[in-house]
């Protein structure tokens, strides 16, 4: 009998006695977690394989075998390889069970690892900033209908209202009448242009929102009849921001009598829903457009005060699922252009009373501009030289 066969007989006897487990049997061991947890099941198979190899060596030692020949070693290697094959099958089965995720998402808890791997593969210096923060504003033009002699209604029209569709220095049209440029009051998003190092990936961890201002617009024919209207023309035509809880130009019903809360903003929060959207369509419309429901607006914390860190430690935030990635260079990214959307499924009606703006009789505005700011908190990956020329 060869030494190798002798080792095989020893281990076969040990298997029969329950001291060890043959490679085809020891993969049935459940050593970590419930059976329906794919990751734990794979980890359990790996531990079982390692224990099996250790058990073979211990069985030989108990029988006085403290050294092995090359032929005996091959027998041990064959059993170890068989266990490795079984582990590979377990891993493949676990991977096949995992659900297929949208192109813009990665598996839970994989967001950081995906971006670390992506940026490390470039071979260029990069940094990961733990206190990342992006904000953007959307405009909702609310139509005012009704009679100046009775009750009027502000209607927030149904539709989609976008955030992060504009960057600093982009063109913007306030209230559909006043052209301007996007400033950092509107957003801190800056698209890459002249700067080689502007590219950035942003892993979204949580969100907050707040009201960002109001504008109001009256009929030009009424404004022209007001004595000294030149001093207030910018206010009455919607050219500038307005805060007016005294009711000089804005109907008093918009603000709560005691708290000063913007009730038009509250009405939107009660009826709007927030979505994230990624668009990677190219010329001709080919590509991917993915829209995902995030939550009802009422569940997004209204954060009027934040710490400088802009993170969950500074104010209430709404955590979002791992893997939502926002890039400021969508043409070169796998994710595509990111926008967030407030969706209003039906018109929202908000009653107001006309007010006297200087004519001696009640007037009603044509429209009221409601502005909302959405903030994204997370971790940003960027070139070490970002911001340098």
């Amino acid at each position: 009998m060869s030494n190798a066969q002798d080792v095989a007989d020893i281990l076969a006897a040990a298997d029969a006695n329950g001291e060890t487990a043959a490679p085809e049997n020891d993969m049935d061991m459940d050593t970590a977690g419930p059976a329906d947890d794919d990751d734990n099941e794979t980890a359990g198979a790996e531990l079982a394989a390692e224990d099996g190899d250790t058990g073979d060596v211990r069985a030989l030692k108990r029988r006085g075998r403290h050294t092995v020949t090359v032929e005996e070693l091959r027998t041990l290697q064959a059993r170890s390889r068989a266990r490795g094959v079984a582990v590979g099958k377990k891993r493949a089965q676990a991977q096949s069970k995992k659900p297929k995720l949208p192109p813009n998402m990665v598996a839970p808890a994989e967001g950081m690892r995906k971006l670390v791997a992506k940026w490390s593969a470039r071979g260029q210096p990069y940094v990961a900033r733990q206190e990342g923060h992006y904000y953007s504003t959307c405009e909702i033009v609310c139509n005012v209908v009704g009679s100046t002699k009775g009750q009027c209604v502000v209607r927030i029209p149904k539709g989609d209202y976008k955030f992060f569709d504009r960057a600093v220095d982009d063109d913007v049209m306030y209230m559909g009448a006043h052209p301007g440029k996007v400033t950092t009051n509107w957003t801190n998003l800056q698209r890459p242009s002249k700067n080689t190092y502007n590219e950035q990936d942003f892993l979204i961890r949580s969100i907050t929102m707040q009201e960002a201002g109001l504008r109001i617009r009256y009929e030009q024919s009424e404004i022209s009849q007001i004595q000294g209207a030149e001093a207030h023309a910018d206010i009455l035509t919607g050219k500038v921001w307005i805060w007016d809880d005294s009711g000089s130009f804005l109907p008093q019903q918009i603000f709560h009598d005691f708290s000063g809360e913007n009730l038009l903003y509250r009405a939107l929060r009660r009826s709007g829903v927030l979505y994230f959207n990624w668009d990677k369509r190219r010329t001709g419309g080919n590509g991917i457009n993915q829209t995902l429901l995030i939550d009802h607006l009422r569940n997004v914390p209204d954060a009027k005060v934040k710490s400088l860190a802009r993170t969950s430690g500074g104010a209430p935030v709404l955590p979002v699922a791992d893997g939502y990635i926002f890039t400021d260079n969508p043409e070169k990214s796998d994710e595509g252009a990111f926008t967030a959307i407030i969706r209003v499924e039906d018109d929202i009606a908000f009653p107001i009373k006309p007010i006297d703006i200087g004519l001696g009789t009640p007037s009603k505005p044509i429209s009221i501009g409601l502005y909302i700011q959405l903030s994204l908190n997370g971790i940003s990956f960027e070139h070490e030289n970002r911001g340098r020329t």
Side-chain angles (χ1 to χ4, degrees), residues 178-204:
H178 302 294
K181 292 287 186 180
V182 172
T183 67
T184 51
N185 181 50
W186 187 278
T187 183
N188 62 346
L189 174 63
Q190 300 187 49
R191 299 290 185 197
S193 53
K194 298 179 182 179
N195 195 327
T196 305
Y197 298 103
N198 255 10
E199 187 175 356
Q200 181 190 77
D201 286 323
F202 185 80
L203 180 63
I204 304 169

Side-chain angles (χ1 to χ4, degrees), residues 32 37-47 87 90-92 94-95:
D37 189 322
D38 293 337
D39 291 335
N40 285 340
E41 189 174 346
T42 302
E46 292 171 350
L47 289 172
V87 171
K90 286 279 187 181
R91 187 177 292 111
Q95 291 294 330

Side-chain angles (χ1 to χ4, degrees), residues 108-345:
E110 290 290 326
M112 275 288 291
R113 275 177 279 188
K114 176 182 177 181
L115 288 179
V116 167
K118 173 183 175 180
W119 283 79
S120 298
R122 296 180 175 184
Q124 300 173 350
Y126 71 93
V127 294
R129 305 191 186 281
Q130 299 291 321
E131 299 175 352
H133 176 76
Y134 269 108
Y135 63 87
S136 179
T137 305
C138 79
E139 177 188 66
I140 301 176
V141 178
C142 310
N143 304 314
V144 182
V145 297
S147 170
T148 58
K149 298 180 180 179
Q151 194 88 352
C152 293
V153 173
V154 179
R155 286 189 174 273
I156 301 177
K158 67 178 181 180
D160 289 349
Y161 301 95
K162 290 185 177 182
F163 301 93
F164 300 103
D165 57 331
R166 296 185 180 95
V168 173
D169 291 332
D170 283 354
D171 293 328
V172 64
M173 185 71 72
Y174 291 104
M175 299 290 289
H178 302 294
K181 292 287 186 180
V182 172
T183 67
T184 51
N185 181 50
W186 187 278
T187 183
N188 62 346
L189 174 63
Q190 300 187 49
R191 299 290 185 197
S193 53
K194 298 179 182 179
N195 195 327
T196 305
Y197 298 103
N198 255 10
E199 187 175 356
Q200 181 190 77
D201 286 323
F202 185 80
L203 180 63
I204 304 169
R205 289 295 180 84
S206 62
I207 57 177
T208 57
M209 68 180 298
Q210 61 183 315
E211 58 179 305
L214 290 165
R215 293 177 184 242
I216 193 164
R217 186 181 178 197
Y218 286 87
E219 289 280 6
Q220 185 62 48
S221 58
E222 289 191 342
I223 297 173
S224 60
Q225 298 176 44
I226 300 173
Q227 187 174 3
E230 297 83 5
H232 309 304
D234 286 351
I235 298 174
L236 298 175
T237 58
K239 193 173 183 178
V240 298
W241 304 103
I242 181 172
W243 178 262
D244 177 29
D245 59 353
S246 66
S248 299
F249 302 113
L250 277 170
Q252 285 185 310
Q253 292 76 26
I254 289 178
F255 295 101
H256 192 281
D257 291 340
F258 301 107
S259 68
E261 180 186 5
N262 183 339
L263 300 181
L264 195 59
Y265 170 60
R266 183 201 286 182
L268 175 70
R269 285 177 59 84
R270 289 292 182 271
S271 303
V273 179
L274 182 67
Y275 291 82
F276 284 173
N277 176 266
W278 288 264
D279 191 346
K280 197 171 173 58
R281 290 179 294 187
R282 303 295 186 183
T283 304
N286 296 323
I288 298 168
N289 185 280
Q290 182 74 30
T291 301
L292 298 176
L293 170 65
I294 301 303
D295 211 327
H296 200 287
L297 286 189
R298 69 168 68 99
N299 296 325
V300 181
D302 178 51
K304 293 182 174 62
V305 179
K306 300 186 186 73
S307 73
L308 291 178
R310 305 280 185 161
T311 62
S312 58
V317 296
L318 176 69
V320 297
D322 182 65
Y324 293 157
I325 296 172
F326 163 36
T327 179
D328 66 357
N329 195 348
E331 293 300 317
K332 292 184 178 180
S333 76
D334 295 330
E335 286 74 32
F338 171 86
T339 53
I341 300 167
I342 289 178
R343 180 163 294 168
V344 179
E345 297 288 356

